[in-house]
Amino acid sequence: MRRLAAASLAGTAVEFYDFFVYGTAAALVLGPLFFPTFSPVAGTLAAFGTFAIGFLSRPLGSVVFGHIGDRYGRRPVMFASLLLTGAATVAVGCVPSYATLGVAAPVLLLVLRFLQGLGLGGEWGGAVLLTAEHAPAHRRALWSSFPQVGPAVGFLLANGVMLALSAVLSDAQFREWGWRVPFWAAGLLAAGGLLLRSSLEETPQFRDLAETGTRANAPFVEVARDHWRLVLLTAGALAVGYAIFYAVSTWALAYGTERLGVSRTVMLVCIMAAVAVKGVATPFAAMLGDRYGRRPLCLAGCAAAALWMFPMVALLHTAQPLLMFLGFTGALLAFITMFAVVAAYLPELYEPRVRCTGAAVGYNLAGVLGGALTPIVATATANGAGAPWGVATYLTGIALLSLVCFALLPETLPRAVAEPVKESAAV
């Protein structure tokens, strides 16, 4: 399990590094480089629009790679998705700016961001199921939480590289070529991730499906026909997690640097420190999920999020580093209280024959609802004078929506613990 958890964590870290480095670049430099004819606010909105395309393609990726995972195995998904996302990310770093290519530059950016999202849409399902289906039932949330630590590691890597480049390069150098370096580094990280995953074994549940001939012929058709309500509920339930994370990691970064006049370095440090706390807290929250159940943790996280959004915005508006850090940390702890257990919760909600497709589609639809729109809506609603209370209202509303959706979902812990544990060579 340690080897499986390490490989899953490393892979999701690399995939989310690729995804997050684009978000950071969108907040800092992509607007003026690829949309120079727009006003500063409109340029930022346009850059966040290309950022959103990655979320829109993630559900499609979950359908494509979910089909592969349910028909041919969880293991192939982990290789194909990582290869696609890594290649697209390296290519983003090679796209010339608007000054060189004209309108073709942002078009290429959109295409590559779409491919990034396509790969990431498959990554989560493959990585999570590889750990969840090998893990003993009474520790499934704990072992499945390690892929959920990957996004924090990927975020810290992406922003750490950006921070280091910001510190050693002038603004002109950073805008000219420095922002491209993190995208090029994705190639080396992807190669390392593929190497780590090369020795992993297929899961016991999928081997059983293959041996008994009970694999789904058309997994997405079955999910859409028999589990559509469950997909919509999980998408609505998880939307708040995406909204919180990208409000902190992407919108707040742009708002702090452009509107509050906080330096790029200070904003990155505040956000990175909060994300580090979130990463450390993840396995501890998952252990609570193994003890008390998945649904209670999710409901508690939603309630905490609903109560914290206005304080978070107030603390951000002070432009004081320590207060901003406290605001971000409170929001991300509410977020991880939910997301630490969903890697166990979502697979348990679906039967094994359509599990890769169902869990991944619900998870990635939530990204469209909560992640794609949040930076755009937040930037638009924060355009007036004074504190951006419209952003707090928007985030609180999503938290309440997710709370209702979680309340309508069943608990899976008693059923999960009652399942027989099947050992494999990978354990």
Side-chain angles (χ1 to χ4, degrees):
M1 285 309 307
R2 290 187 181 91
R3 183 162 56 87
L4 279 167
S8 295
L9 189 157
T12 53
V14 173
E15 290 259 21
F16 277 91
Y17 167 90
D18 296 348
F19 206 69
F20 290 148
V21 78
Y22 190 101
T24 305
L28 297 177
V29 298
L30 294 188
L33 287 176
F34 288 88
F35 304 96
T37 60
F38 291 17
S39 69
V41 171
T44 300
L45 284 170
F48 282 151
T50 63
F51 175 76
I53 290 296
F55 285 98
L56 296 177
S57 62
R58 281 174 66 169
L60 177 60
S62 65
V63 172
V64 172
F65 288 103
H67 181 89
I68 295 171
D70 285 325
R71 285 291 302 160
Y72 305 106
R74 318 323 190 189
R75 192 170 174 269
V77 173
M78 299 180 70
F79 287 92
S81 61
L82 183 57
L83 187 62
L84 175 60
T85 307
T89 305
V90 172
V92 169
C94 300
V95 176
S97 67
Y98 185 94
T100 302
L101 278 188
V103 73
V107 170
L108 278 174
L109 209 59
L110 281 170
V111 171
L112 293 172
R113 180 60 175 174
F114 181 89
L115 294 175
Q116 265 193 328
L118 201 69
L120 191 61
E123 163 63 24
W124 187 85
V128 162
L129 290 191
L130 201 72
T131 51
E133 292 187 343
H134 275 112
H138 67 291
R139 289 287 182 268
R140 184 172 294 143
L142 173 61
W143 287 115
S144 300
S145 72
F146 284 92
Q148 297 296 80
V149 178
V153 176
F155 182 86
L156 292 173
L157 282 173
N159 287 276
V161 173
M162 285 287 192
L163 186 61
L165 290 167
S166 296
V168 300
L169 300 177
S170 67
D171 279 348
Q173 290 173 320
F174 184 81
R175 289 177 181 274
E176 184 178 352
W177 59 268
W179 67 272
R180 299 180 183 274
V181 174
F183 290 90
W184 298 334
L188 295 176
L189 293 174
L194 290 170
L195 183 63
L196 276 173
R197 292 180 166 185
S198 61
S199 61
L200 298 181
E201 305 225 357
E202 192 50 79
T203 70
Q205 280 90 338
F206 182 79
R207 290 204 302 268
D208 282 350
L209 292 171
E211 290 167 6
T212 57
T214 54
R215 289 173 293 176
N217 291 320
F220 180 69
V221 173
E222 285 194 32
V223 168
R225 183 187 64 220
D226 302 329
H227 304 289
W228 61 269
R229 181 177 180 273
L230 183 57
V231 169
L232 293 179
L233 281 177
T234 52
L238 300 179
V240 64
Y242 282 97
I244 289 173
F245 191 85
Y246 288 101
V248 170
S249 65
T250 303
W251 168 74
L253 178 60
Y255 182 82
T257 54
E258 295 173 6
R259 296 290 303 280
L260 301 179
V262 182
S263 76
R264 182 169 59 221
T265 300
V266 169
M267 288 302 304
L268 284 172
V269 168
C270 289
I271 295 170
M272 289 171 62
V275 171
V277 173
K278 175 192 82 77
V280 171
T282 301
F284 295 100
M287 286 190 284
L288 293 176
D290 277 326
R291 184 179 180 89
Y292 299 108
R294 296 29 166 153
R295 189 166 165 267
L297 268 289
C298 293
L299 291 171
C302 280
L307 294 171
W308 190 248
M309 293 302 96
F310 277 88
M312 183 196 77
V313 167
L315 292 169
L316 167 63
H317 196 65
T318 66
Q320 297 298 314
L322 179 59
L323 295 178
M324 290 192 296
F325 163 72
L326 290 175
F328 298 153
T329 301
L332 293 181
L333 287 177
F335 156 79
I336 206 57
T337 302
M338 297 171 276
F339 270 56
V341 299
V342 297
Y345 194 18
L346 262 65
E348 289 168 355
L349 288 168
Y350 293 89
E351 56 184 310
R353 58 186 278 115
V354 295
R355 181 173 285 163
C356 194
T357 300
V361 169
Y363 188 86
N364 287 295
L365 274 178
V368 177
L369 296 174
L373 296 177
T374 293
I376 297 171
V377 173
T379 299
T381 57
N383 200 26
W389 300 122
V391 177
T393 303
Y394 171 75
L395 294 174
T396 302
I398 293 181
L400 294 175
L401 169 67
S402 294
L403 184 67
V404 171
C405 291
F406 273 123
L408 295 173
L409 288 171
E411 176 57 71
T412 59
L413 180 59
R415 185 178 73 224
V417 173
E419 291 175 3
V421 179
K422 297 189 176 184
E423 300 293 334
S424 76
V427 177

